[in-house]
Each structure stands twice: as structure tokens, then as C-alpha cells.
Amino acid sequence: MTQKYRLDKGGFIKRDKKISFKFNGKKYFGYEGDTLASALLANGVHLVGRSFKYHRPRGFIAAGVDEPNAKVQLYHGAKTEPNAVATEVELVEGLIAKSQNCFPSVSFDFGEINNFLSKFFPAGFYYKTFMWPKNFWYKIYEPIIRKAAGLGVAPLKPDPDRYEHKFEYCDVLVVGSGPSGLASALAAAKNGARVIIAEDKSRFGGSLLTDEVTVGNKKGKDWADETIEQLKIMPNVVVKNRSQVFGYYDHNMMVMFERTKDHLEFPNKYTPRQRLWYIRAKEVVASTGSMERPLVFGNNDRPGIMLSSAAKEYLRVYGVLVGKKPIIFTNNDSAYETAIDFKKNGINPIVIDIRENSESSVIKEAKNLKIDIRFSHAIANTRGHLRVNSATIGKLNEQKTNYQSLEDISCDCICVSGNWTPTVHLASQSGNKLKFDENINAFIPNQSRQNETTVGSAKGSFTLKKSLEEGFNKGFELSNKITKKNIKSAIPTSNERSNGKQNKFWCMPLPKNKNYKRCVDFQNDVYVSDIELAIREGFRSIEHVKRYTTLGMATDQGKTSNLNGLQLVSSIEKKIVPEVGHTTFRPPYTPVTIGAIVGREVGKYYRPTRKSPIHAWHEKNNAVFVDAGLWLRPRYYNQGNETLHEASKREAFNVRNNVGICDVTSLGKIDIKGSDSAEFLNRVYTNAWMKLPVGKARYGVMLREDGIVFDDGTTTRISENHFHMTTTTAQAVNVLAHLEYYLQVVWPELNVNVLSTTEQWAGAAVAGPNSRSLLEKLFPDTDVSNEGLPFMGFKEADLFGVPARIFRISFSGELAYEINVESGYGIFMWEKIMEIGKEMGIEPYGTEALSTLRIEMGHVAGSEIDGRTISSDLSLDGMLSKKKDFIGKRSLNRKAFIETGREKIVGVVPLDKKTMIPEGSHIVVDNKASLPNPKLGHISASCWSVEYNNPFSLAILKDGKQRIGEKLYALSPLKSKSIPVEIVSSHYVDPTGERVRS
Amino acid sequence: MLEIKCPYCGKRSQNEFSYGGDANIKRPELGKEISDSEWDNFVYFRKNPRGKHSELWHHVAGCRQWFKVSRDTSTHEIFKTSKLNEEL
Ligand SMILES: [Zn+2]
């Protein structure tokens, strides 16, 4: 395959480095430095896709991010990427791409029938047609529309690539490396500012790459190259290409998307595929340039019709002719540069200019080159199915409402120019309310709300001279606010062609009795007739017109179409454009991969994992882990072929009969010190704390201010002004913040300090009838008898030379102790306990057995303290002090809290003593009642009672204990279960609490 | 993402902080007899102004201090931050 449209010389590609790639299954060659788009055009391929709705054949329109049509699917399998823009994809050996939105192939597409049926698919078609019947939407309409209108296909496998996030700070962030961007960066950097300059493309220079200009007596491109080299060696400058600053967020937080890998044939193994930068910039210079707008005329969306600036870029940067019989169609002077470039490369263009005349240096140059120029002419229509092959042109009448005569001229491409739109998305996202500039017929930035400054053609300064001046001046001014060094750089002289006056006329009339489609939004397939229809149907707000017609939506966000759409609405409505307003410029400016947004926060890196210091022992001993917030806790320790149920039963049984050990390190621990500590606890907990003796623990319940139970735990008085609080694993973080709030904000007069010590202590619960004999051997020098260390007692002791704390507290309801040592001694403690406990039948138990033990004891946990229950619902009302005030007390007389009939805690046993009741089951009187069956309450937690060897559950039930003895039903529609149950006391085992005191 | 100046640590990104609501809310004194509606106002009712708002923030992933912020709720402009015992 020869590259028939490639010039022998010119451009910045490397002709000695041939690259092979596949497009739609066919092999092609391009050169290093090509994009997929330039390589395809070099091979004469214009047809790249089908339009969104009508499946009309589509080709390249642009050469950069503004390309609305050439969305391709790259590679396949896990690496596949949908909606890649061919003009932005750099050519790399082995690249595989295919067209989207066509079946079975881009040149023969069944969906094209939509084009012939297009009168049945007007604007708002989906809204109008698929309204009814409702269930048809999900089953029939939606799947069909999805298939017909789908853009790319998302990969179904996990992304094999790695992505990174980076956080950066700088004084001045310069977005774009055209003349104004380079000038700003250079001026700011020389004035000592920390500068980041970001260029979306692989090449720096922006318009200097394609314009016939000189800067400082050098060719534009050479000046750009030298400036970049100069910036690169400055220590205070970061220079980034392939980096799109796609969003402007609050407080000058800029987000940049850097492509680091895909363009490399042999990437370094550790290079991430893409990198997302969060840049906090003191000042932002948006030198984002401008985009050419298409002209609108009959069948203006055929392959081969593109922006004249794109044709120039393909020629100048890539050495590619987009056609050999070009027509240039324009309303301004800039397109003449493209005509001149064609002519200088031996191609004879025809220029169709809607203006009566123009006098400027560029026109003179064109005339001297004997380029065929037809003033006062316009293109009315085009022909050519898969590629444009002729244009119908005519002389416009004076009012530009019709043509005086029409003639067909053959062509193989049409390069259009309908003036330039400043790229103002960053200014707009920063909160800058844009203003409409009548001279250039486009929106430009107005008053900055953040530290944002737009320069160059992005603010409508379309000459090189002005761009350089603005760049140097603003670069100095902004950097000097920060560095105050007053080092001013000289502005280099420049030379450029002069341009004459543009004409604002952009939407060509239809010849009499002709109904040609005139495309406004190429990506979303929106035509002049659609917008006219929307307005006829009463849509007035531009935001409504946008949504009804889909103008300016999707990945493109109206880059080429927005302004034409606004102009059309304003001309139909007979308003001026600023009255119509503009739609919102939403980030991201160009598509960003989900991978880059997620970064390294995938799989197990999604959030931190907290492990107890004893974790390695659990792993070695076949623990099966469960997530408890961020913590990994042993759920059970597997022996042989046991199920979870069997293992937890064995472990819990062993606690009730011998002794068990459980890792309780994850419990929240808060150290409380200060002379007002007891007073503080007295306000935080519902019960009394002032008289708790040193060396004693107490169980406490905290409420929120609205009276709902917040958390529970035991707190121990270590010394007069020193307490050790424990919280549940789940609420540890919130309890600490809660305490800090009251100490700092509400009662700053209290002399108390709180500090989380969760990670400083390793904790082991030792529970069961043999636990005391075990402790006697662990702490031979400490009196652990029932008198020496009674229930709720606390002692500091020596564990074979390691300082330990012993708390006689029990969650299991058995005689039990919790032993804490410094984290580093966790494994030592654990192994010592296992070693000495062996003869007493010690076995470790996990959270599942722990649950079993607490459920059958009727101890509440997170499934009962669920943000809806108050103390009396949980039989904790005995702990509400009548003598003092505390957080949340004033709420307890709320009507809903004192009414009878509240749902309160009870125990539930299935009548058959066999069927486990699913958690979440509803409790009802009649299991056959018609739906909705009135619900009396729900099952909050279920276990297999090892004490009675039958299932037991806790429930939150209307009227609570008053229903003890009643026979009701537990219904679980999810598990298709209806279980006859009896209501019993929630304290199923040892209701008087003898064991813990034994 | 906002950039918030913690009066103790200096400027930090918003993801280090958690929001604590209206800074002008005063908890009724403990043990004081107050009407139901006073209590309801304290627990439930908050103004939701568009514009300048005094609020509390907590530097949770930092010094763990609560402090006051004067912020525009529509533009996110932060006018001032101060320690709790300082005038905002
Ligand atoms: Zn701080």
C-alpha cells in the first residue's frame, strides 16, 4: 500500500520510520509522528464512521480535539477502548482501530435506512415515540435504541493497565503552548515563578506549527522549539505535552490528564498508562486557542468535507494532502492560507468566498498565485455517497436568500471556514460569565472570578502580535504578584499575514424547492431542520433546545457546533446571540478514561486495610477473614471440611464450656485525660460516672442530640483523671470526632484531652469457664480471684515481663477478661495465651462465634443500634440517669419516643426449633394476609444457640416484651420463607448474669 | 476541591476536612429548662443561606481541631478562617 496522498517532503513526521496499523481489518502504513487520522488520510481514507442517529457516512472534520466524527474503537479484549478520537490517537506499531456505530461495516451499514426514513426521526423523536406503554421501554425500545445509537463498546474484562494520580502546586499554570502560552510561560518563568506549561498535543507550538509567521526573526516553529528547550532546562518549570487540562475547579484546582504510554512501541514496564494531575495553581493562564467553525450548507456532512484549518494542519504537520481537487469555502481570509498551501504543493484549489471582495495581503498573495477565486458565491449542496465528489455552487443574491444560478463542479474535498471560536471552557468553568464579542461573533471571557486569565486567540486576539504581547505581559504581571522580582522579558518582533474583514454569514440558503439536510452538530446528528422544529414546538431556552435536539451534548460538548447552533436559534427567534445565551461548558473538556479517574484506588487499594498485629497468626491458623469497616477480622478458623456454620458453632460451644480467645484489637480505644474527665463522661454517657472508683470499668451508652442511641462500650478509670474508653469497631472514628466536637466547640471550659489509642493496644478477649484458671497461670503474681479482680474490675499486671492491662469485662456473657498489651507485643501475648491455655482446651474464636455468644445473651450491637432505636427500645432505659443532664436527654420526651407501641428488643425462637430465621425477616401476625402485610417488626440478628442447640434471633418488635409468649410468623420474601415463631426474652442465656460475676 | 486554611496547619485541600454545619448554633446549657420549640430549633432547624455563611470545619486528617470558616455557599469563596475563640 502506498501512501498516495503523502507529499515527498514537508511536515514533522519521520519518513524513515514506517509504522503498520490496522483500520477496519485492513492493513495500512504511516510514519512515526502521524496520528491515526493523518495516516488514514495519507492513504486516502476519509470514511471513518457513521452518524449517530441516521447512520450517514462521515469523515474527518478536524485535526485535533474538536473532531466530532472520527470516534474509533481501539484494540480488543480487556485493552479495548471506545470513543477514541482518531485525530488524537498517535500512530504506534500494531495499532488496531475500527469504526463505531456501523453494522456490518462502515461502507455498508444497515442502519443507514434511518437516513432514508429520517422524516420519521425528527428532533425529540425518542421522547415522542417511545412514551408508551411504559414497560415496552425497558424490554423493547431501549435495547434497540442502544444497539442502533451506541457509540463504542466498553470492555468487559478488568483493565490490565496501571494509572496514577499526582498532586502538584505551582505559581502559574499555562494551558496551551501556542504563541501566547509560550510567551506567558517564558515571561513567568524568567521572573522566577514556578511554572507548569501543559500542551494537549504531542508537539508544542499550537498555531506556530501551521502558520506562515516569524517570531524574533525565526520561523514560528523554530521559535517555539527554542522556547520549549529553554523552558525545559529551567529548574522552576515543568513542561508537559500529551497533557490536557480538562477541568477548572474551585480555588484554582486544575485537573490534567496526561497520556504517558499508548504512543510508545516499547513502554517501560512501570510507566503508568495515564496520569491524572491535580494542580493547585496560584494563577492560571488559559492560552487554549480557538477553533474554526464549519459553514452550514446542503449535505455538508459528507466524508471529504472538513475544516480548512484541519486541511492546512494535515499538510503542514503531516505532509498529507486531504484531496487533490479541493474546494475552499469561506466567509473570511484565514482559509486562503490553506488555498495557498495547496497551490504551492502543485494542487489547484477553487476558492468559494461568500464575500463580495476582500483586500488583504493574503488575498493578494492568492491572486498572484492565480488561484481561482469566486467571490459572492456559496455552496448550496454536495454529492457523493461515501466521499464527496461534487459541489453545487451558485452566486448568492443580494439578500443571500437564494442563488442566481447553480452549477456543479467536481471535487474530492471541501475545506470550509466559518470564522473562529475562542476556546473558553476553562474560563467558563472557573465561573467567568462570558460576554459576546460582536466583532468576532463569538463568546469571550469577561470578568474572572478566580485567578484565571485568558490570553491570545482564546480571548479573541487573533493576531500573532497581540497574542505574544498578551502572553508576555500577563506572564510577567501574574508572576510578579507572586515573586515580586520585576524581571521583565523583551517581547520579540513578529511577522504575519494581514487578514481582511470577515463576513458573519454562515448558514447557506436552500435552493428553491430543495430540502437538503444541513448539519449543525456532526456528532449528535442535529440538522438545521431539527432546531427549527424544536423552536416551532415551543422550546425557547437554549438549554431546552439543547436537550430536545441533543445539540452540543455527549463527548464532543459542541466544540464545532455550539456557536452555529446559538446563531441559528437567535436568527430564527430574531434575537441577538447574547440574548439566547450559551449552554454550560462542563468538564471534562475532552474524554477522560475511567481508569485515570480511579487511579491506583482499585481492588485492594480501593481503601486502606487495617490488620491487627496478630493478623499473621490468624492467617497461619486458617482464619477466614471478614471486612469490619477497614479492618480484616477472623470470621472463623477453619478445621477440615467445616462450613462457616459448623466452625462458628464449635468455637462458640468451646467458649461456653472451656475457654476461647478472640482478637478484639479493632475495638475503638480512646484515652481520656484531664481533671474534668469524669464530668465529661457524665455528660457524654446516659448513666452516672462521677463516682466510678479507680480500677473499675463501667458500661456506658451514648446518645445523639436527637435521642437516638449512638454507641456503647466500657470505660475504665485507670487513675483519678485518666480513663480508657472503648467503642464499637464501626463507630470508633465517629465517637472520637463526637468527643472532640463537644470538647472544642461546646464545652471548651472542660479540662479534658482525648486521643485515639486503637492502634497502640493489641487486645485479646479470653472467655469461658476456664478463663480464670488460665489467667492465674498467665499472671502468677497478680490476684485474679473473684475478690481480687471482680466483674468490671481492672488491673495492670505483668505478662512474662510485658506490661499488660486486664479488664474483667464480658461481651460473650461468660466469665471473661480482656487483656491489652502494646501492639508490638500482640503476637507474644496471643501465643503465650494459646500455649498456656492448651491444657484448658483453649481455641480461638472469630466474629461469627462472637456474634452467636452476644446474640443469645441479648447483648445489643450494630444491628440493633441501627440509628433508629432509643435506649428504651433496647432495654437500656435503666441506664438513663434521672439526676443529671446528658447529650440527647432533652429529646427523650419527644412524642414519638414516649408513645406506646414502639418497636423494642425481644428474642425469637422458631417453633420447630430447627429453622434458622433469615436476618431482615418481617414479623407478622398472619402469614397469609393480603399484601401489604402489616409488619410488627424485624429480625435484627440470628444465630444457632449453642446453649440450647436451636436457632435463636433478636428482633425489634412492636410492643416488645409485652408480646413474650405470642406465636407469630417471621416472613422472608427474599428467601421464600415463612417461619412460625414464638416471642421470648432477649436474654436467652443466663438472664440474671450469674456467669459474668462467678 | 476547596482549599481551606486551617488556623493551626495552614492551607490544605478539602479532602482533609469534614464539614460541621452552622457555626452560630449554640447548644442549650445542660440542665436548663427550655421549651420544646427551642430544643427543636437547636436539634433540627438550620438556615440554608445563599451567600456568606459562618460554618464549622474539622481538620480530621490533620490536627483534629475544629475551627470556623466564613464561606460563600454559592461561589465557595472563603473570606476568612479562625480559631473557635477568635472573631470570624
Ligand atoms: Zn489543622
Side-chain angles (χ1 to χ4, degrees):
Chain A
M1 260 284 167
T2 52
Q3 300 177 36
K4 278 194 284 190
Y5 291 83
R6 183 84 69 179
L7 295 168
D8 293 335
K9 54 183 188 350
F12 314 124
I13 38 132
K14 291 186 181 155
R15 286 184 176 74
D16 52 350
K17 183 82 175 58
K18 219 168 165 185
I19 289 177
S20 74
F21 67 101
K22 267 188 175 172
F23 180 67
N24 286 335
K26 198 168 163 188
K27 193 169 177 179
Y28 296 96
F29 289 97
Y31 294 126
E32 187 177 299
D34 262 326
T35 61
L36 175 58
S38 67
L40 284 171
L41 288 168
N43 286 283
V45 178
H46 275 259
L47 176 67
V48 281
R50 291 279 175 161
S51 73
F52 193 65
K53 212 157 70 175
Y54 307 125
H55 290 245
R56 287 161 69 94
R58 287 287 173 77
F60 300 101
I61 285 181
V65 295
D66 43 342
E67 172 57 45
N69 287 339
K71 309 277 170 185
V72 294
Q73 184 97 24
L74 298 180
Y75 302 103
H76 27 239
K79 273 188 107 67
T80 194
E81 181 181 344
N83 306 333
V85 186
T87 52
E88 291 276 287
V89 175
E90 290 180 59
L91 204 63
V92 64
E93 184 61 39
L95 182 76
I96 301 168
K98 69 174 202 246
S99 299
Q100 294 178 169
N101 202 27
C102 53
F103 176 80
S105 78
V106 67
S107 49
F108 179 72
D109 177 9
F110 282 141
E112 196 175 352
I113 194 146
N114 287 0
N115 189 21
F116 302 109
L117 301 175
S118 67
K119 62 179 157 193
F120 302 113
F121 286 86
F125 166 72
Y126 298 146
Y127 301 116
K128 287 170 186 156
T129 313
F130 300 114
M131 294 282 281
W132 191 88
K134 198 176 153 199
N135 58 355
F136 264 44
W137 175 254
Y138 303 102
K139 287 181 187 143
I140 295 171
Y141 299 142
E142 206 244 354
I144 292 172
I145 293 169
R146 243 175 216 290
K147 195 160 189 321
L151 286 163
V153 182
L156 297 171
K157 294 188 182 124
D159 192 329
D161 279 306
R162 230 167 67 99
Y163 303 82
E164 276 181 7
H165 285 180
K166 186 174 166 66
F167 294 82
E168 193 55 272
Y169 296 81
C170 68
D171 295 330
V172 181
L173 169 66
V174 178
V175 185
S177 71
S180 61
L182 288 172
S184 315
L186 191 64
K190 283 196 163 171
N191 198 24
R194 288 168 53 195
V195 173
I196 298 175
I197 176 165
E199 168 57 48
D200 168 52
K201 296 203 165 191
S202 60
R203 294 177 185 83
F204 297 97
S207 62
L208 294 171
L209 296 174
T210 54
D211 286 358
E212 189 80 23
V213 296
T214 64
V215 183
N217 297 320
K218 291 169 196 140
K219 277 188 154 183
K221 163 100 168 43
D222 295 339
W223 182 79
D225 288 347
E226 277 171 35
T227 306
I228 281 293
E229 287 314 310
Q230 204 178 342
L231 288 168
K232 273 184 180 167
I233 55 170
M234 293 175 82
N236 53 329
V237 181
V238 174
V239 176
K240 281 283 157 192
N241 59 342
R242 301 188 175 91
S243 296
Q244 177 75 268
V245 177
F246 66 76
Y248 201 126
Y249 298 89
D250 293 304
H251 298 184
N252 267 35
M253 166 66 86
M254 313 297 291
V255 186
M256 179 169 94
F257 174 58
E258 184 189 6
R259 308 182 299 277
T260 40
K261 194 174 184 179
D262 287 355
H263 61 286
L264 300 171
E265 189 181 348
F266 302 107
N268 184 318
K269 190 178 165 196
Y270 298 106
T271 305
R273 180 172 176 232
Q274 288 152 357
R275 194 179 280 131
L276 206 66
W277 294 56
Y278 293 90
I279 304 171
R280 187 82 70 179
K282 287 191 185 128
E283 297 287 342
V284 172
V285 175
S287 49
T288 44
S290 55
M291 283 174 183
E292 200 167 24
R293 299 201 286 269
L295 290 168
V296 176
F297 49 97
N299 288 302
N300 58 333
D301 58 339
R302 296 189 191 282
I305 303 175
M306 60 167 61
L307 296 169
S308 93
S309 58
K312 187 170 80 171
E313 188 169 337
Y314 286 120
L315 202 160
R316 289 220 163 205
V317 176
Y318 304 99
V320 170
L321 293 169
V322 298
K324 294 182 179 175
K325 275 162 76 182
I327 294 176
I328 316 287
F329 182 25
T330 186
N331 66 2
N332 67 88
D333 278 1
S334 69
Y336 283 81
E337 301 198 1
T338 309
I340 290 167
D341 279 348
F342 270 118
K343 186 78 185 183
K344 284 183 172 171
N345 282 286
I347 304 291
N348 282 320
I350 300 169
V351 179
I352 313 290
D353 192 330
I354 61 166
R355 299 174 298 177
E356 278 154 34
N357 203 354
S358 176
E359 301 283 347
S360 65
S361 69
V362 72
I363 303 270
K364 271 184 207 128
E365 208 178 324
K367 282 179 176 164
N368 287 342
L369 286 167
K370 307 220 166 3
I371 290 174
D372 181 356
I373 305 171
R374 320 260 176 106
F375 282 111
S376 299
H377 274 66
I379 297 180
N381 186 28
T382 71
R383 290 201 177 80
H385 182 47
L386 300 179
R387 170 88 182 260
V388 65
N389 58 29
S390 74
T392 307
I393 66 162
K395 190 160 200 244
L396 287 163
N397 66 0
E398 212 163 309
Q399 302 79 30
K400 295 198 175 67
T401 51
N402 209 335
Y403 306 90
Q404 285 173 1
S405 60
L406 289 171
E407 71 171 300
D408 284 353
I409 47 176
S410 75
C411 64
D412 64 356
C413 69
I414 300 175
C415 308
V416 297
S417 178
N419 285 314
W420 294 77
T421 312
T423 304
V424 291
H425 64 288
L426 287 179
S428 172
Q429 289 169 15
S430 80
N432 193 322
K433 294 261 176 283
L434 308 175
K435 67 177 176 204
F436 192 74
D437 185 331
E438 293 283 340
N439 293 322
I440 62 165
N441 222 23
F443 285 96
I444 58 169
N446 192 5
Q447 189 63 47
S448 294
R449 215 198 68 205
Q450 301 201 43
N451 292 341
E452 163 268 324
T453 307
T454 300
V455 294
S457 62
K459 80 179 263 270
S461 307
F462 289 139
T463 66
L464 174 64
K465 188 166 184 289
K466 213 154 172 230
S467 289
L468 288 170
E469 276 169 17
E470 280 174 14
F472 276 102
N473 290 338
K474 286 294 172 188
F476 168 76
E477 207 178 288
L478 297 170
S479 60
N480 215 40
K481 282 205 282 186
I482 301 160
T483 68
K484 306 200 168 54
K485 287 193 174 167
N486 277 312
I487 306 167
K488 213 165 180 172
S489 312
I491 303 173
T493 55
S494 60
N495 215 321
E496 64 194 304
R497 287 165 169 149
S498 74
N499 277 357
K501 218 171 147 17
Q502 56 159 19
N503 190 304
K504 289 177 188 172
F505 191 70
W506 61 282
C507 185
M508 302 310 127
L510 291 172
K512 254 193 198 109
N513 304 322
K514 295 292 180 190
N515 227 347
Y516 305 131
K517 276 193 158 308
R518 293 171 294 176
C519 193
V520 177
D521 183 331
F522 295 86
Q523 182 170 87
N524 298 294
D525 237 3
V526 180
Y527 297 82
V528 171
S529 53
D530 293 318
I531 296 170
E532 288 169 345
L533 177 72
I535 290 168
R536 249 192 342 267
E537 293 189 352
F539 291 91
R540 286 295 176 271
S541 154
I542 186 66
E543 295 282 0
H544 289 159
V545 172
K546 168 179 168 172
R547 275 150 192 85
Y548 193 57
T549 61
T550 68
L551 172 75
M553 309 237 287
T555 60
D556 185 52
Q557 289 287 301
K559 289 183 182 66
T560 48
S561 62
N562 226 331
L563 221 89
N564 281 346
L566 295 178
Q567 294 193 85
L568 183 60
V569 173
S570 61
S571 72
I572 298 169
E573 294 257 271
K574 302 210 170 12
K575 284 180 181 169
I576 51 171
V577 174
E579 285 179 325
V580 174
H582 60 83
T583 52
T584 316
F585 293 83
R586 294 182 201 286
Y589 175 62
T590 51
V592 179
T593 60
I594 301 279
I597 293 168
V598 172
R600 297 290 289 139
E601 291 166 28
V602 288
K604 65 175 177 173
Y605 305 113
Y606 175 61
R607 52 183 198 175
T609 302
R610 300 177 81 180
K611 292 176 184 172
S612 112
I614 308 155
H615 189 83
W617 189 95
H618 303 320
E619 273 181 329
K620 242 186 288 170
N621 288 274
N622 301 323
V624 176
F625 292 95
V626 62
D627 289 327
L630 300 179
W631 290 91
L632 275 183
R633 296 190 71 184
R635 192 172 186 192
Y636 63 99
Y637 299 82
N638 205 29
Q639 288 185 6
N641 294 324
E642 278 178 332
T643 62
L644 158 73
H645 185 62
E646 288 161 353
S648 61
K649 224 157 96 174
R650 168 179 54 73
E651 291 170 6
F653 187 82
N654 193 56
V655 172
R656 291 263 182 259
N657 292 284
N658 297 307
V659 59
I661 177 170
C662 180
D663 186 348
V664 292
T665 302
S666 67
L667 280 188
K669 303 175 204 76
I670 298 170
D671 209 52
I672 302 174
K673 279 183 176 168
S675 53
D676 294 319
S677 297
E679 169 64 26
F680 180 53
L681 291 173
N682 215 39
R683 298 179 184 188
V684 167
Y685 283 127
T686 65
N687 50 346
W689 286 80
M690 297 306 284
K691 290 183 183 143
L692 179 70
V694 171
K696 281 280 185 189
R698 185 165 284 173
Y699 175 67
V701 173
M702 333 181 163
L703 309 185
R704 315 189 308 212
E705 290 287 17
D706 64 0
I708 300 286
V709 177
F710 174 36
D711 197 42
D712 68 344
T714 53
T715 292
T716 305
R717 195 163 202 164
I718 307 283
S719 67
E720 180 62 23
N721 294 323
H722 182 195
F723 290 79
H724 172 83
M725 174 185 277
T726 66
T727 73
T728 59
T729 301
Q731 294 284 26
V733 170
N734 299 334
V735 170
L736 183 69
H738 177 79
L739 300 182
E740 286 168 334
Y741 174 80
Y742 282 93
L743 285 174
Q744 295 174 29
V745 180
V746 184
W747 302 312
E749 67 278 9
L750 292 184
N751 177 15
V752 180
N753 275 295
V754 292
L755 184 71
S756 168
T757 53
T758 302
E759 287 172 357
Q760 276 60 45
W761 297 101
V766 178
N770 295 345
S771 56
R772 182 174 297 124
S773 17
L774 175 55
L775 254 74
E776 282 164 359
K777 295 206 164 169
L778 283 170
F779 303 102
D781 303 331
T782 307
D783 179 7
V784 294
S785 67
N786 204 21
E787 295 72 37
L789 184 58
F791 181 53
M792 293 311 240
F794 161 76
K795 270 193 174 166
E796 283 175 330
D798 175 276
L799 179 74
F800 301 97
V802 173
R805 287 173 167 184
I806 313 172
F807 305 86
R808 189 171 162 194
I809 54 178
S810 176
F811 192 46
S812 59
E814 291 298 324
L815 170 66
Y817 303 85
E818 273 182 34
I819 305 171
N820 284 3
V821 293
E822 279 179 37
S823 294
Y825 293 110
I827 284 259
F828 171 81
M829 165 183 72
W830 188 274
E831 288 182 337
K832 222 50 193 174
I833 298 172
M834 288 303 295
E835 177 195 323
I836 292 172
K838 202 173 174 189
E839 55 179 289
M840 295 144 205
I842 195 163
E843 269 184 35
Y845 64 101
T847 55
E848 202 67 26
L850 186 74
S851 283
T852 296
L853 296 165
R854 75 95 186 167
I855 291 167
E856 61 177 4
M857 277 290 163
H859 288 167
V860 293
S863 48
E864 291 78 34
I865 303 178
D866 64 356
R868 291 178 289 186
T869 46
I870 57 172
S871 292
S872 57
D873 301 340
L874 303 176
S875 296
L876 297 169
D877 34 343
M879 293 178 62
L880 296 171
S881 170
K882 294 198 174 64
K883 294 191 187 129
K884 57 142 193 175
D885 198 0
F886 51 84
I887 293 170
K889 187 179 189 181
R890 182 64 180 77
S891 288
L892 295 179
N893 66 357
R894 283 173 59 192
K895 193 161 167 259
F897 289 174
I898 51 179
E899 260 175 359
T900 54
R902 278 192 70 82
E903 296 181 5
K904 299 181 177 204
I905 191 164
V906 290
V908 179
V909 178
L911 293 186
D912 68 0
K913 302 261 170 123
K914 277 200 275 235
T915 312
M916 285 282 282
I917 310 171
E919 288 172 355
S921 297
H922 282 195
I923 298 171
V924 298
V925 176
D926 177 2
N927 65 339
K928 300 217 161 58
S930 62
L931 299 176
N933 194 342
K935 170 201 163 201
L936 296 176
H938 70 277
I939 300 291
S940 61
S942 289
C943 73
W944 186 275
S945 165
V946 290
E947 184 85 11
Y948 296 104
N949 201 25
N950 58 250
F952 174 73
S953 297
L954 292 175
I956 310 290
L957 181 68
K958 191 174 160 65
D959 298 322
K961 286 179 205 163
Q962 293 170 37
R963 290 190 186 267
I964 288 177
E966 282 187 29
K967 298 205 168 41
L968 301 167
Y969 290 91
L971 290 187
S972 174
L974 279 177
K975 306 235 158 127
S976 308
K977 282 202 168 156
S978 163
I979 304 164
V981 297
E982 182 178 352
I983 307 305
V984 299
S985 163
S986 58
H987 299 292
Y988 197 41
V989 174
D990 190 23
T992 54
E994 274 168 39
R995 292 180 193 179
V996 294
R997 292 184 174 78
S998 63
Chain B
M1 189 160 24
L2 309 187
E3 189 177 43
I4 301 168
K5 188 182 166 195
C6 169
Y8 303 92
C9 307
K11 282 184 175 177
R12 293 287 194 278
S13 277
Q14 184 186 350
N15 51 2
E16 290 187 13
F17 298 89
S18 73
Y19 178 66
D22 191 335
N24 296 315
I25 297 296
K26 274 249 164 297
R27 191 196 189 279
E29 264 175 58
L30 280 172
K32 197 180 160 198
E33 290 267 327
I34 55 168
S35 68
D36 284 354
S37 69
E38 276 176 273
W39 182 254
D40 288 348
N41 279 335
F42 158 64
V43 177
Y44 295 105
F45 294 100
R46 295 292 181 271
K47 290 204 177 87
N48 185 19
R50 183 178 193 277
K52 213 169 186 179
H53 189 227
S54 307
E55 48 203 30
L56 293 172
W57 286 76
H58 190 197
H59 197 184
V60 279
C63 63
R64 299 214 52 104
Q65 296 302 301
W66 288 88
F67 59 95
K68 293 189 280 191
V69 176
S70 170
R71 182 180 66 103
D72 189 305
T73 56
S74 67
T75 64
H76 290 307
E77 185 179 352
I78 291 179
F79 306 105
K80 200 182 169 191
T81 63
S82 72
K83 296 178 182 176
L84 291 170
N85 58 4
E86 291 170 350
E87 209 53 44
L88 189 61

